[in-house]
Amino acid sequence: MGLLALFRRTPSSASVAKERLRIIVAQERSARGSPDYLPLLRRELLQVIHKYVNVDPDAVQINLGQEEGHEVLELSVALPEKTRA
Amino acid sequence: MTEIIVVTSGKGGVGKTTTSASVACGLARRGKRVAVIDFDIGLRNLDLIMGCERRVVYDFVNVIQGDCTLKQALIRDKRLETLHVLAASQTRDKDALTAEGVRRVLDELIADGFDYIVCDSPAGIEKGAHLAMYYADRAVVVVNPEVSSVRDSDRILGLLASKTQRAEQGNGGVKEHLLLTRYNPRRVASGEMMSVDDVKEILGLDVIGVVPESPDVLAASNSGVPVILNDESDASLAYDDAVARLLGENLPLRFLEEPKRGFFARMFGG
Ligand SMILES: Nc1ncnc2c1ncn2[C@@H]1O[C@H](COP(=O)(O)OP(=O)(O)OP(=O)(O)O)[C@@H](O)[C@H]1O
Ligand SMILES: [Mg+2]
């Protein structure tokens, strides 16, 4: 990174790009080889959650992982502050 | 031993054909016997970049369909005698390319003793791109320091690791390399463009070359002389370094910083 970027207060557009890519690439890598129904499952879960709280689409994370030889479906929902139902 | 190298990217227009042409020339210039094949069925372009468009009589699909022999379809380069071009077909029939047909052509080139077969992949992740990578031993993933190109490269890396013969057979997989191109050191320095290290970190892969954004590339395609053959150009030197690294040489990356005036002129007599 150049000197200029060091003195800048707002993050440079390149570092914004890098951060966004880091997240999306990690997400897409973990989706690789996972069942095709995951995106649909995620969408439907989002609809259900929406009935109770108003969350952003990116607040719902679904991951398929391995734990002691079992496949584990991990669901995490980041709730918005104060608007808890 | 023949090595099959696919030049691929996912995203279109990032520099695959430019890279295929220069890498093929660079290998041939080092005495290797090289065949470079255009897999972009329907959108033949490698012939133009190589400057042999008026010598195309038969193409890849003609060979596969038995309209001619491979020897008849291979175009020998006028500058480098160990370099041969196999043009893409202009047919709109995408099914003209078959895995079995591609295998037969590759096997014949291998039997003929070619050292390298460079496969210029079409953009996308459809059949043409799939077949271009399927039999590869190595992959040069061409990427621009830009979000959609980087993301698509990662898609391609996923396919290389699962949808290739080497991946299916489980014998070590395809050896993957990143080649960054259209790199603009000035914009990297000002924080407008991701750096080599950024891209390397996101994709977790080593870089075989960094080719600067250069007006010489357009001039090269205008004249049908691959940019690597223009010894005055930074892009040429960068491609030549990449070829050396493909052959196992250990060279530091250059042209990562904007050349200072004067100094630059002194170094290269420009
Ligand atoms: N280093 C560079 N500097 C400047 N321009 C470049 C550079 N590399 C490639 N280009 C330009 O980018 C454009 C696309 O290049 P090229 O045809 O090699 O891409 P491609 O990946 O093969 O495209 P497609 O996906 O359509 O097959 C061309 O106009 C080329 O001149
Ligand atoms: Mg191309």
Side-chain angles (χ1 to χ4, degrees), chain B residues 2-55:
Chain B
T2 311
E3 195 161 56
I4 302 173
I5 303 177
V6 61
V7 178
T8 182
S9 69
K11 189 173 192 305
V14 297
K16 292 178 292 297
T17 301
T18 304
T19 300
S20 300
S22 278
V23 166
C25 284
L27 288 166
R29 205 159 59 169
R30 285 157 193 260
K32 308 292 183 193
R33 281 194 73 204
V34 183
V36 56
I37 306 180
D38 191 345
F39 274 76
D40 208 340
I41 303 304
L43 292 170
R44 172 196 296 167
N45 269 326
L46 180 69
D47 57 336
L48 270 178
I49 303 303
M50 294 294 300
C52 64
E53 70 280 2
R54 291 175 55 198
R55 296 198 289 138

Side-chain angles (χ1 to χ4, degrees), chain A residues 59-71:
Chain A
V60 177
Q61 296 292 338
I62 294 187
N63 276 311
L64 200 67
Q66 289 278 339
E67 226 167 77
E68 292 161 19
H70 296 286
E71 291 209 311

Side-chain angles (χ1 to χ4, degrees), chain B residues 41 61 64-65 91-99 127 131:
Chain B
I41 303 304
V61 169
I64 288 177
Q65 296 183 338
T91 175
R92 277 191 280 169
D93 176 15
K94 282 186 184 157
D95 293 325
L97 218 56
T98 61
K127 194 171 183 189
L131 287 177

Side-chain angles (χ1 to χ4, degrees), chain A residues 1-5 8 12-15 17-22 24-26 28-29 32, chain B residues 146-148 150-151 154-155 157-158 188-194 197-198 201-204:
Chain A
M1 188 184 291
L3 268 182
L4 237 76
R8 207 168 276 167
S12 69
S13 71
S15 55
K18 183 182 175 186
E19 202 42 45
R20 290 173 58 216
L21 276 169
R22 216 210 308 265
I24 194 72
V25 164
E28 286 175 350
R29 279 185 185 178
R32 247 174 240 163
Chain B
E146 172 269 323
V147 285
S148 35
V150 174
R151 181 199 210 169
D154 197 62
R155 275 303 286 289
L157 290 172
V188 171
S190 67
E192 294 168 74
M193 183 181 267
M194 283 181 283
D197 288 339
D198 291 341
E201 190 185 320
I202 293 160
L203 296 176

Side-chain angles (χ1 to χ4, degrees), chain B residues 6-9 11-27 29 36-40 43-51 79 83 85 118-123 140-144 179-183 210-230 233-240 242-243 246:
Chain B
V6 61
V7 178
T8 182
S9 69
K11 189 173 192 305
V14 297
K16 292 178 292 297
T17 301
T18 304
T19 300
S20 300
S22 278
V23 166
C25 284
L27 288 166
R29 205 159 59 169
V36 56
I37 306 180
D38 191 345
F39 274 76
D40 208 340
L43 292 170
R44 172 196 296 167
N45 269 326
L46 180 69
D47 57 336
L48 270 178
I49 303 303
M50 294 294 300
R79 299 152 297 217
L83 177 58
V85 181
V118 178
C119 304
D120 179 18
S121 174
V140 172
V141 178
V142 179
V143 57
N144 296 159
L179 187 137
L180 252 84
T181 183
R182 312 206 67 162
Y183 197 73
V210 178
V211 179
E213 170 82 23
S214 161
D216 301 329
V217 174
L218 181 59
S221 59
N222 284 344
S223 54
V225 180
V227 71
I228 196 172
L229 299 179
N230 171 5
S233 170
D234 286 358
S236 160
L237 301 173
Y239 271 124
D240 200 59
V243 169
L246 272 175

